[in-house]
C-alpha cells in the first residue's frame, strides 16, 4: 500500500534516521483508528474503497487543492472525544518512530480538533500536549509541537489560540504556524499577534508560496518576520525573492509529494526542489500530511534518490539542515546533532555495510 509502494530500496530510506519539521497531526490519522472511531461512535461510513477515497489522495483523484482539502473535511468529523484526540496524537508519534524519525516537530490546529464537538480549546491543548509527551517517551522520539491557526478564520480565534500556545510553552509548544487560504487572505492582519508571541520566545512558521506566488514568501520574510517558511516553493517565480531568502538563510519546509498531489506542480519531476537547493536556498524535506498523501518521510527521501538522482550522502546533509532549522536552542541542537550522528553511523553500519 501507500502512494509509492515499497521495495527493498525504499526500506533503506525507511530505516535511515530522519528529522521532520512540517507534519500536521490532522493529516496523520491512521485508517485503522478511523475505522475504530466510526465503530465506537456510531459514525456511518461508506464501504471500501469509497471511505479510503474520502480521506486519502488516490492516484485517480484530480490533483487539486479542492480535492486535497476535501479529505480534511471528512477527517474533522472523527474528533469525537478526548480519547480519540489523545489516540490520534499517540498514533502520530508511533508512526514517526516507525519512520525512524529522531526528532519531530508536529503541528496541530486546535480549532480543527475542537470544532465539531464544541470542545474547549484549552482542553484540546491539554489532551494533545499530554498524549504527545507520553508517546514521545514511550516511542523514544524527541517531539515538540507547533500550534497552527488559519488565515481564513477570524483573528479573534487566532488570538485565543496563540495566547494558549504561550500558556503551554513549558509543555512542548515551541512555535506557531499560519496556515490556510493564502490566495484570498493576507497574513498581515496576524502580524501583531505573531510578533507578540515571537517576542515571548515562540518561533514562527508561515505557509506561503504554496497556493499563491512568491510575493507571499517575500511578505512572510520581510513583513511577518517568519523564522521558517512552510512550502515556499513558488519563491522560484521571482529571482529577487530567491536572493532575499538566500541572503537571510530562511529555512524552507519543502513537501514534494504534497505539492504534486495538491496541484502546486503539474508533475513530480517538474518540482523545483533541485533548483531550490542549487540556488542556495536553505531547504529541508518534510511530509506535510503523511496519511492523506499515503507517504512516509522515508518515501520522500526515496523519491529524491530515485526520481531526482540525489546521492545517498545528500540525505545526511539534508537532515543536518533540518536540525539547524529546528525550533530548538543551541544546546538542544548540539545534543540532537550528536544523537543523530550516532544513529546515522549505526544505520550506515547495519543497513548499508551490514
Ligand atoms: Zn502544511
Amino acid at each position: 500500500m501507500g502512494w509509492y509502494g515499497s521495495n527493498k530500496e525504499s526500506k533503506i530510506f525507511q530505516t535511515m534516521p530522519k528529522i521532520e519539521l512540517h507534519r500536521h497531526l490532522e493529516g496523520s490519522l491512521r485508517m485503522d483508528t478511523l475505522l475504530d472511531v466510526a465503530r465506537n461512535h456510531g459514525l456511518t461510513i461508506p464501504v471500501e474503497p469509497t471511505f479510503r477515497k474520502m480521506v486519502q489522495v488516490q492516484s485517480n483523484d484530480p490533483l487539486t487543492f479542492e480535492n486535497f482539502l476535501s479529505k480534511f473535511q471528512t477527517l474533522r468529523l472523527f474528533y469525537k472525544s478526548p480519547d480519540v484526540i489523545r489516540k490520534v496524537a499517540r498514533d502520530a508519534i508511533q508512526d514517526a518512530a516507525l519512520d525512524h524519525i529522531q526528532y519531530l516537530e508536529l503541528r496541530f490546529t486546535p480549532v480543527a480538533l475542537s470544532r465539531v464537538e464544541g470542545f474547549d480549546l484549552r482542553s484540546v491543548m491539554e489532551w494533545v500536549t499530554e498524549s504527545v509527551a507520553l508517546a514521545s517517551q514511550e516511542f523514544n522520539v524527541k517531539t515538540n509541537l507547533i500550534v497552527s491557526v488559519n488565515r481564513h478564520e477570524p483573528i479573534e480565534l487566532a488570538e485565543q489560540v496563540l495566547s494558549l500556545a504561550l500558556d503551554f510553552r513549558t509543555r512542548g509548544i515551541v512555535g506557531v504556524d499560519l496556515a490556510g487560504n493564502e490566495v484570498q487572505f493576507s497574513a498581515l492582519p496576524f502580524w501583531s499577534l505573531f510578533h507578540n508571541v515571537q517576542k515571548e520566545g515562540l518561533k514562527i512558521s508561515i505557509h506561503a508560496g504554496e497556493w499563491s506566488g512568491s510575493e507571499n514568501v517575500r511578505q512572510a520574510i520581510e513583513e511577518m518576520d517568519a523564522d521558517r517558511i512552510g512550502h515556499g516553493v513558488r519563491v522560484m517565480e521571482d529571482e529577487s525573492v530567491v536572493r532575499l531568502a538566500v541572503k537571510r538563510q530562511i529555512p524552507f519546509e519543502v513537501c514534494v509529494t504534497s505539492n504534486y498531489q495538491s496541484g502546486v506542480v503539474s508533475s513530480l519531476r517538474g518540482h523545483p526542489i533541485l533548483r531550490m537547493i542549487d540556488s542556495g536556498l536553505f531547504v529541508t524535506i518534510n511530509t506535510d500530511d503523511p496519511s492523506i498523501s499515503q507517504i512516509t518521510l522515508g518515501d520522500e527521501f526515496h523519491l529524491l534518490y530515485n526520481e531526482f538522482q540525489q546521492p545517498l550522502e545528500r540525505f545526511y546533509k539534508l537532515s543536518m539542515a533540518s536540525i539547524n532549522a529546528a525550533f530548538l536552542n543551541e544546546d538542544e541542537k548540539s545534543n540532537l546533532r550528536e544523537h543523530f550522528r550516532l544513529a546515522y553511523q549505526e544505520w550506515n553500519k547495519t543497513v548499508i555495510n551490514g
Side-chain angles (χ1 to χ4, degrees), residues 37 67 97 103 114 129 155 274 288 298:
V37 173
N67 180 66
Y103 171 68
S114 71
T129 52
I155 196 125
L274 295 190
D288 210 12

Side-chain angles (χ1 to χ4, degrees), residues 161-201:
V161 173
L162 265 53
S163 142
L164 286 168
L166 283 177
D167 290 351
F168 280 74
R169 251 179 313 181
T170 53
R171 295 191 247 175
I173 308 285
V174 293
V176 292
D177 165 43
L178 187 62
N181 183 339
E182 59 162 321
V183 179
Q184 287 159 301
F185 296 84
S186 168
L188 294 180
F190 293 85
W191 180 81
S192 72
L193 280 183
F194 273 66
H195 186 64
N196 285 337
V197 297
Q198 196 178 37
K199 274 196 307 204
E200 298 290 327

Side-chain angles (χ1 to χ4, degrees), residues 22-24 107 177 179 207 210 230-231 253 255 258 288-289:
H22 189 127
R23 180 175 293 205
H24 296 264
R107 58 190 73 197
D177 165 43
H207 281 72
E210 179 194 15
H231 299 280
E253 305 156 356
C255 311
S258 166
D288 210 12
D289 300 295

